[in-house]
Amino acid sequence: MRGHIRKRGQTWTAIYDEGREDGKRRQRSKGGFDTRREAQAFLTDQLKRLGDGSYAQPSKITLAEFLVDEWMPSAEGTLRPLSVTQYASVIRLRIIPTLGRLRLQALSGGHINALYRELEQAGLSVSTRRLTHAVLHRSLKDAVRWGKLVRNAADQADPPAATATRVKAWTGSELRRFLVHVADDRLYPIWRLAATTGMRRGELAGLTWRCVDLDGARLSVERQLVPTRGGVSFGPPKSARSRRTITLDPETVDALRRHQGAQVLERDFAGPAYDDQDLVFADELGGPIHPQRLTEQFRQHREAAGIPVGSLHVLRHTAATLALTGGVPVHIVAARLGDDPRTLLGTYSHLLPSSDEIAATAVAAAVAG
């Protein structure tokens, strides 16, 4: 690689060859250096990067242009639909207003830290700020891989620290009160299924009758329904562990049988307007129920039942907690929820205050013979 420096007026300029394109030599220059030494250092660095493949061709593209026009269209092919919606929202609402006008190659760790401080001062949660960091880090990592950046500025930033979250679960009496309250609800079986199996919202909304064996008292989780921009779509479960078979208790099986019969009547009443998609939990015309609609309906039922806390996800926490406090081994509860046993322990250990006492008693009993 060839290059040299030259003095122009009172400043110094570094000039170097990038290589050839279509048989023509491509030459770059950068001026404005106060001293010959500064220009030489820059030239040496550029020639080194050209030699080892870490060179990034100078560009005036802004961070907003890169994220919206290049990165998101490429990432959509590798992200889950829900992640696409979340990432696009973070880019539009969190990143672009503050950093979007900066040139991609001018972005620094200091700029990113300033963004994190701004989001914190605006009262945004740690999880939202960490998601912002995740989007920036992944997109800039791809920019480095594509030769648009020399380094990932997010590596020089200080991401918001993760905080230990303590999940809230209902007591057995609160769960019973809720189920009594929703006993006559059209979707009673979905609330009971969530409470007895710990299935995720999307797994419940995407469940089909093909995956339910009422005679065998079990079901299989093979897909989920996720919100997307402008609607919903079906996708694979959250992880490989999420593909699982779950045993059902007799009362839940009975509730599902009654629900199946009521669904047949709805289909017959709707006639040709019914769009049968084999969904266990569908609207009155057979279509999927938007997960956010389930969340809102649950909130209304919870408040009417006089239970002060909990989103729909609280039923998953409650199912896990009641199983663990009931003595069900951790690995079985984890398999039932489609979760990693280590994650399960980290999430729910604080809800098991008697575990240490049980261990002490058991060991003492063994020692005593």
Side-chain angles (χ1 to χ4, degrees):
M1 299 297 176
R2 299 175 56 187
H4 63 279
I5 58 174
R6 176 185 301 168
K7 189 171 185 179
R8 289 177 173 171
Q10 299 300 313
T11 62
W12 292 85
T13 297
I15 304 167
Y16 58 94
D17 291 339
E18 281 187 334
R20 289 185 175 273
E21 185 175 299
D22 298 329
K24 297 180 180 179
R25 186 174 69 171
R26 292 181 303 170
Q27 195 173 67
R28 290 278 180 182
S29 65
K30 179 176 174 59
F33 295 101
D34 292 331
T35 66
R36 180 187 183 94
R37 179 176 295 182
E38 290 174 351
Q40 184 63 58
F42 171 82
L43 177 62
T44 301
D45 181 65
Q46 296 303 95
L47 293 178
K48 176 180 178 298
R49 294 187 182 283
L50 282 163
D52 64 21
S54 64
Y55 175 77
Q57 188 178 84
S59 169
K60 294 183 179 180
I61 185 174
T62 65
L63 177 61
E65 290 168 340
F66 169 72
L67 291 174
V68 175
D69 299 335
E70 298 188 31
W71 186 71
M72 274 303 300
S74 173
E76 285 178 2
T78 62
L79 295 172
R80 296 176 182 272
L82 181 57
S83 295
V84 170
T85 301
Q86 289 177 327
Y87 281 27
S89 178
V90 166
I91 289 170
R92 185 180 75 257
L93 300 177
R94 313 296 178 212
I95 299 175
I96 289 180
T98 300
L99 302 180
R101 293 182 180 179
L102 288 174
R103 283 193 304 109
L104 175 65
Q105 293 180 342
L107 188 66
S108 69
H111 291 133
I112 296 175
N113 280 337
L115 169 64
Y116 296 157
R117 287 194 298 271
E118 181 178 309
L119 297 180
E120 182 178 13
Q121 291 167 1
L124 297 182
S125 67
V126 172
S127 61
T128 297
R129 287 182 276 136
R130 287 183 64 81
L131 177 59
T132 302
H133 174 75
V135 173
L136 273 171
H137 192 277
R138 177 168 177 167
S139 60
L140 296 179
K141 181 179 179 181
D142 284 341
V144 173
R145 186 163 56 88
W146 297 343
K148 294 181 177 296
L149 287 176
V150 171
R151 61 179 63 84
N152 187 338
D155 286 335
Q156 278 73 56
D158 302 310
T163 57
T165 57
R166 299 195 128 215
V167 300
K168 289 183 171 61
W170 289 351
T171 63
S173 62
E174 287 175 324
L175 179 58
R176 287 190 293 273
R177 189 197 321 166
F178 175 79
L179 291 177
V180 167
H181 175 77
V182 297
D184 296 326
D185 184 62
R186 175 180 175 274
L187 291 177
Y188 168 74
I190 200 172
W191 312 129
R192 181 174 182 89
L193 194 60
T196 56
T197 66
M199 288 173 65
R200 299 177 177 91
R201 182 183 71 171
E203 295 170 348
L204 293 162
L207 184 65
T208 59
W209 286 112
R210 178 183 61 81
C211 295
V212 179
D213 178 4
L214 294 178
D215 293 330
R218 60 181 178 269
L219 62 80
S220 58
V221 177
E222 297 183 2
R223 67 176 187 174
Q224 63 174 333
L225 183 70
V226 295
T228 59
R229 202 179 309 168
V232 294
S233 69
F234 294 99
K238 183 177 180 181
S239 65
R241 293 179 184 273
S242 298
R243 292 185 180 273
R244 62 199 188 278
T245 298
I246 304 174
T247 300
L248 305 175
D249 65 275
E251 289 189 35
T252 299
V253 170
D254 289 343
L256 286 170
R257 285 191 191 278
R258 293 192 297 272
H259 178 69
Q260 190 176 45
Q263 197 174 62
V264 170
L265 293 177
E266 288 182 345
R267 183 182 61 201
D268 292 343
F269 181 78
Y274 197 86
D275 179 20
D276 193 348
Q277 300 184 36
D278 195 42
L279 290 167
V280 175
F281 304 111
D283 62 22
E284 289 81 353
L285 294 179
I289 302 175
H290 196 289
Q292 190 55 43
R293 180 181 165 194
L294 290 176
T295 296
E296 179 57 25
Q297 290 181 350
F298 173 81
R299 182 191 64 77
Q300 294 173 356
H301 287 312
R302 173 185 61 74
E303 291 178 351
I307 303 174
V309 297
S311 65
L312 177 53
H313 207 65
V314 76
L315 294 182
R316 178 175 172 84
H317 295 322
T318 301
T321 302
L322 293 178
L324 291 170
T325 54
V328 180
V330 170
H331 70 281
I332 293 178
V333 178
R336 190 169 173 81
L337 268 65
D339 227 334
D340 187 313
R342 293 168 297 181
T343 301
L344 196 75
L345 279 176
T347 303
Y348 298 103
S349 60
H350 72 283
L351 296 173
L352 307 174
S354 62
S355 298
D356 195 48
E357 297 173 16
I358 293 173
T361 302
V363 173
V367 172

